[in-house]
Amino acid sequence: AEAEAARAPVRRPPPWKNVQQPKIEFMQMADVASKNIPGDYYGIRFPHDQEQILKMGPAWLTEAFHTSGVLPKDNAVTKIAEAKEFVGGGAGLKCILKVEYKEDRPYLHKNLFVKLPHKPGGNDRFFVSCMWNHDRPETIFNIWLEQTVPYRVPKCYFADICAQTTNFILITEALDWAPKGTRDFKPGDIEPAYDKYMDWELPDGGPMYY
């Protein structure tokens, strides 16, 4: 299994492209975000909410993973067994996908984390996607730097963003977080994702983390 994992396909970043986002006014947000235009980097259309992920389904996941290079051409995603949206942080929507493959391989994760933009129409989407432009640096990091930084980061399966619509998608392996309330950790354990401004959830109330 370790030998096969070592032979895992290497994701292929696309050629670098300098993209300038056009100015988008607040009242335009809902209209531009409703469009589905190919991404700036990999050049394929992509879903930008959970409903679209389920509608485009395993066929789109297969296309995306073939395009990025993480999935061999003779393999495929055959089923989305579960999709669960959840709230966490404030920079976008998140969901966990449980998928099945034509052929299981040690280097293929069945639990995937997906980050998506806020739904259009509210202040959060306009601030994050237009005023602050938070989504593109994260997309760029996962496409070009994930494999080169000297520390472990979640494996990126696919990421792209569209300047014209501000829509984006990020798909990585889902990490196994420790359950909330855990106080004792072993080396390699990942602490729970503590909610913002709720320091009482931290094992010692906060001092160790500050």
Side-chain angles (χ1 to χ4, degrees):
E2 290 183 2
E4 187 174 2
R7 296 195 298 269
V10 177
R11 185 174 53 78
R12 301 180 300 272
W16 169 252
K17 184 179 180 183
N18 186 26
V19 179
Q20 297 295 322
Q21 181 171 303
K23 184 177 180 180
I24 299 173
E25 301 293 345
F26 180 82
M27 297 304 293
Q28 297 176 292
M29 193 72 252
D31 180 55
V32 299
S34 68
K35 300 173 182 176
N36 195 320
I37 298 174
D40 296 329
Y41 300 123
Y42 280 110
I44 65 172
R45 296 181 188 275
F46 58 88
H48 45 87
D49 60 39
Q50 181 177 295
E51 183 180 350
Q52 290 182 23
I53 291 174
L54 295 175
K55 183 177 180 180
M56 297 173 79
W60 181 81
L61 288 172
T62 298
E63 178 190 10
F65 296 172
H66 284 169
T67 300
S68 71
V70 294
L71 186 67
K73 294 293 186 180
D74 60 356
N75 205 348
V77 180
T78 59
K79 182 179 180 180
I80 299 177
E82 183 179 336
K84 183 179 180 181
E85 192 170 282
F86 67 95
V87 176
L93 303 179
K94 289 94 175 175
C95 70
I96 297 293
L97 297 182
K98 295 184 182 295
V99 303
E100 296 177 7
Y101 299 95
K102 177 183 174 183
E103 295 182 11
D104 291 339
R105 290 289 183 265
Y107 51 79
L108 293 174
H109 297 86
K110 291 186 174 183
N111 292 343
L112 301 174
F113 168 81
V114 185
K115 186 173 181 182
L116 302 159
H118 283 292
K119 297 185 186 304
N123 290 337
D124 285 342
R125 176 62 182 272
F126 185 71
F127 288 158
V128 172
S129 298
C130 296
M131 292 185 66
W132 302 333
N133 197 21
H134 280 181
D135 307 322
R136 188 169 296 274
E138 186 173 14
T139 303
I140 289 172
F141 175 88
N142 279 279
I143 292 177
W144 280 281
L145 300 180
E146 173 252 331
Q147 298 173 341
T148 63
V149 291
Y151 45 83
R152 168 87 160 86
V153 296
K155 177 180 176 178
C156 178
Y157 278 72
F158 185 83
D160 213 340
I161 188 170
C162 175
Q164 295 180 60
T165 65
T166 72
N167 291 324
F168 76 95
I169 188 168
L170 169 64
I171 305 177
T172 72
E173 64 174 291
L175 300 178
D176 292 323
W177 305 88
K180 282 198 173 182
T182 302
R183 290 292 184 266
D184 297 318
F185 301 98
K186 301 186 295 295
D189 287 348
I190 301 176
E191 294 191 29
Y194 305 113
D195 289 322
K196 293 179 179 179
Y197 316 118
M198 299 175 69
D199 288 357
W200 58 87
E201 291 187 347
L202 300 174
D204 69 341
M208 180 175 70
Y209 298 83
Y210 297 108

